[in-house]
């Protein structure tokens, strides 16, 4: 029995996202579990970088996956699954921002809010690259949110311009332009802060 | 002729993105690689872009404690399963709830005009019980003396510190929310809590997004902003900017319902009077 389950899981692991999503849509929790395993790490990390709050990022990650599971019927199988998933996450994040922004306004906290420090997760065991990491954090802090977002989707998550376009609901050429601007802006800020080019 | 044209047209930033993505096809691919074959400047740009992108990818590579991630995944799957289970029961529950609601509407609900007169100008959040509080006020319990454990002299403004507010609210606690924001907590005998947040005025500090159902009302000659957003943790808030201080009054807990607009006005008026008196006295 155990080997049947193991065989089945191995077979599921071999499936692509679209096939897993189709299977999960019919109620296959194992298929959904594999999708969660595939994207949990990246999604959570993406959210942590965007909102600088580990716990909130976990909540939003959970919301995103449970929403995705409930609404798999709306997923267009012609499109990238992870782009759809990250699109849900961005929607949740925007809703959270609205709530938080209103709450900050009401409680006046935002008047004195300082830029959030980078989360502890960033400062991990990269040894010699620690300074570069700090520099990157500083550059990110200077960038506008939309540009930072596309750069993270591309360089951290490995999204293509088409997937970025699907995630953000913009055209592919707009995604390419935005990503190009993001790289340009990052590079300029990096050189200004570092005194020399990154490579 | 064709060669000269492609030579003169250097690659755009979008072209570099497409090269990195590896999805160039058709005429665009021909144009880009045709140009690259002969332009050393663009070759250098592609190299530079590749190295730069690689550096970023290396640095941004996510790392997380595997045990922590396993626990998070477990929570995600458990929540998804729980919601799925709940959905299975939603249909029968909805039918039951609709039946109960219909019966209730047929027998227990007052007429529309009766309900309107009971509610008056309350801030409504679908909580019909809020009317009860003001029709049968209970005597106030005397709270413990507030603990003012903050150094008021360190603030860049003189905060207003009323010990009581209208409608039986008494100051029960204070806190320094940051270097220049002080929060005062008031409570009445019903357990309703208000927070009065005070900070140095920054013009336009009180900004409420347009989709949140806010409006202004006049208290004397002072415009007061009233907000009401059921999505927030608060059920009502009032704020204004005067005398170099920004105030925000918000309900943080309201077991008896919510903060009616007319009561919010009374409280606001009292604080404005206190503040005006303090400022004019200082002059």
């Amino acid at each position: 029995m155990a080997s049947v389950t193991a065989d089945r899981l191995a077979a599921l692991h071999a499936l692509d996202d679209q096939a897993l999503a189709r299977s999960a849509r019919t109620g296959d929790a194992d298929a959904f579990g594999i999708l969660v395993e595939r994207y949990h790490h990246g999604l959570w990390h993406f959210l942590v970088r965007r909102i600088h709050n580990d716990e909130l990022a976990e909540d939003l990650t959970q919301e995103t996956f449970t929403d995705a599971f409930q609404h798999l019927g709306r997923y267009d199988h012609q499109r990238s699954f992870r782009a759809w998933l990250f699109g849900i996450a961005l929607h949740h994040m925007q809703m959270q921002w609205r709530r938080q922004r209103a709450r900050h306004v009401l409680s006046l906290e935002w008047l004195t809010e300082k830029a959030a420090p980078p989360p502890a997760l960033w400062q991990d065991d990269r040894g010699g690259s620690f300074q570069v990491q700090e520099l990157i954090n500083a550059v990110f802090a200077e960038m506008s949110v939309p540009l930072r977002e596309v750069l993270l989707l591309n360089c951290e998550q490995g999204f293509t311009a088409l997937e970025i376009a699907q995630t953000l609901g913009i055209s592919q050429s707009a995604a390419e332009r935005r990503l190009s601007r993001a790289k340009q802006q990052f590079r300029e800020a990096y050189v200004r802060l570092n005194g020399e080019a990154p490579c | 002729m064709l060669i000269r044209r492609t030579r003169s047209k250097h690659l755009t930033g979008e072209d570099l993105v497409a090269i990195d993505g590896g999805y160039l096809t058709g005429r665009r691919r021909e144009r880009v690689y045709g140009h690259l074959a002969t332009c050393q400047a663009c070759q250098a740009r592609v190299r530079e872009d590749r190295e730069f992108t690689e550096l970023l990818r290396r640095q941004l590579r996510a790392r997380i404690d595997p045990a922590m991630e396993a626990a998070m995944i477990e929570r995600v799957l458990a929540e998804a399963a729980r919601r799925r289970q709940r959905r299975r029961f939603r249909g029968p529950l909805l039918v039951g709830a609709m039946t109960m609601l219909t019966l209730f509407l047929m027998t227990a609900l007052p007429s529309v005009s009766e309900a309107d007169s009971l509610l008056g100008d309350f801030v409504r959040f679908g909580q019909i019980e809020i009317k009860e509080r003001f029709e049968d006020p209970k005597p106030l319990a005397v709270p413990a003396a507030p603990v003012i454990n903050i150094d008021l002299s360190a603030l860049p403004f003189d905060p207003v510190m009323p010990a009581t507010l209208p409608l039986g609210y008494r100051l029960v606690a204070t806190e320094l929310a940051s270097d220049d924001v002080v929060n005062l907590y008031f409570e009445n005998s019903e357990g309703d809590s208000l927070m009065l947040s005070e900070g140095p005025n920054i013009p336009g500090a009180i900004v409420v997004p347009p989709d949140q159902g806010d409006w202004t009302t006049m208290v004397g000659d002072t415009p007061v902003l009233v907000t009401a957003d059921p999505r927030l943790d608060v059920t009502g808030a009032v704020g204004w900017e005067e005398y170099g201080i920004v105030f925000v009054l918000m309900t943080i807990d309201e077991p008896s319902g919510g903060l009616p607009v007319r009561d919010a006005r009374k409280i606001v008026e009292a604080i404005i009077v206190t503040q005006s008196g303090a400022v004019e006295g200082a002059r």
Side-chain angles (χ1 to χ4, degrees), chain A residues 27 32-33 36-37 40-41 44-45 49 58 62-63 65-66 69-70 99 101-103 105-108 110-112 121 124-126 129 132-133 136 140 151 154-156 161 172 176-177 179-180 183 186-187 198-199, chain B residues 13-14 17-18 20 23 28 48-49 51-53 55-57 59-64 68-69 72-73 75-77 79-80 83-84 87 178 180-181 197-199 202 205 207 209 212 227 232-234 237 246 248 250:
Chain A
F32 180 69
V36 173
E37 279 175 24
H40 183 277
H41 185 131
W44 179 78
H45 200 263
R49 279 196 196 278
E58 187 184 346
Q62 178 154 317
E63 277 295 309
F65 277 115
T66 46
F69 193 42
Q70 282 184 312
R99 285 194 292 267
R101 181 182 160 207
R103 212 170 290 149
V105 169
L106 293 175
S107 65
L108 296 181
W110 73 281
L111 287 174
T112 52
L121 179 81
D124 57 12
D125 55 350
R126 289 190 179 89
S129 62
V132 179
Q133 187 66 30
I136 287 175
F140 270 135
L151 204 55
N154 178 252
C155 291
E156 183 188 72
Q172 182 172 343
E176 282 180 1
R177 267 196 305 279
L179 187 52
S180 164
K183 284 186 171 182
F186 187 96
R187 204 181 177 77
C199 35
Chain B
E14 291 93 309
V17 167
D20 176 59
Y23 54 79
R28 189 180 180 192
E48 203 175 52
D49 181 76
E51 286 168 4
F52 161 71
T53 306
L55 170 94
L56 255 183
R57 285 189 182 138
Q59 291 296 329
L60 294 177
R61 200 168 296 138
R63 293 189 189 183
I64 181 173
M68 181 182 158
E69 179 162 36
M72 285 201 286
I73 289 177
R75 283 197 288 275
V76 167
L77 293 176
E79 176 63 17
R83 286 209 199 170
R84 192 170 183 83
R87 286 185 83 190
S178 65
D180 54 4
V181 174
S197 217
E198 301 181 29
I202 296 172
V207 180
Q212 292 190 14
T227 71
L232 302 177
D233 289 339
V234 297
V246 174
V248 173
M250 54 198 270

